[in-house]
Amino acid sequence: MQTLEAFADTLVPGERRYSGDLPIAGVAQGPGAVQAGAVQVLQSPDLPLAPFLPGIAALLNTRAASYAAIRLIWLPVTRPAFVGLSFAHRTALVGNLFDTSDLDRQIWQMLSLLTSLAFDSASHMDTAVAIEEHHSGLAWLGFPPPDTDGLWRFSQFSYGTALADLHPKTTASGSPA
């Protein structure tokens, strides 16, 4: 899982969880994708992805070893190849993975989408529970808690103005009629 954590941290970096935390590069203050549950999202029983994660991690490590060999970068043998890369090299490699000519591009796109969902929306949790448990991504983004009745209402529009008029048949609870 270190490889997948390092991949998630490359996309949404955060601070290290403890000293010696190898997958987390620690290049940003605050929580990152790993703290927000990216690996939990990838391993979710609601997704058919979990059985493929070891193979995906192996593919990423193979790509990292190749990247390092071409650039004569020494990788420690005590950790997975991708984890052994510096953050700058991880970032460069991940950028290459998204090149339109990369045969595995769709794999990396799916992993990046799921990683960002963990941070931006706590997709692996009920939103109210995530707020109550102070989900690191939602807290960092300043996602508001629900009203006292458990519903979210936004008195101020996110763009500072209503984007559309309220449909005349909308019920008092906000549901369409």
Side-chain angles (χ1 to χ4, degrees), residues 8-166:
D9 181 66
T10 304
L11 297 170
V12 184
E15 56 194 31
R16 288 194 162 120
R17 298 167 287 188
Y18 52 88
S19 71
D21 188 2
L22 300 175
I24 309 294
V27 299
Q29 292 183 346
V34 175
Q35 293 91 336
V39 173
Q40 290 90 327
V41 170
L42 296 175
Q43 294 175 330
S44 171
D46 295 330
L47 298 173
L49 190 59
F52 302 102
L53 293 177
I56 291 170
L59 177 60
L60 183 54
N61 283 318
T62 300
R63 298 291 293 270
S66 175
Y67 175 93
I70 290 169
R71 289 160 183 78
L72 302 175
I73 299 169
W74 178 84
L75 293 174
V77 295
T78 57
R79 62 187 87 144
F82 189 75
V83 177
L85 291 173
S86 69
F87 184 77
H89 286 295
R90 290 180 192 178
T91 302
L93 173 57
V94 168
N96 293 338
L97 298 177
F98 289 99
D99 189 88
T100 56
S101 65
D102 192 289
L103 297 176
D104 302 315
R105 181 176 177 216
Q106 291 177 334
I107 294 170
W108 314 122
Q109 288 175 324
M110 183 57 61
L111 285 184
S112 66
L113 170 67
L114 294 170
T115 294
S116 65
L117 283 174
F119 187 84
D120 296 339
S121 67
S123 61
H124 57 299
M125 303 176 76
D126 176 81
T127 305
V129 171
I131 293 292
E132 186 176 297
E133 294 180 2
H134 307 287
H135 178 270
S136 58
L138 295 182
W140 185 260
L141 295 170
F143 193 86
D147 292 341
T148 55
D149 62 359
L151 299 176
W152 274 269
R153 294 178 188 84
F154 300 94
S155 59
Q156 297 179 359
F157 302 103
S158 59
Y159 291 99
T161 185
L163 299 178
D165 293 331
L166 191 62

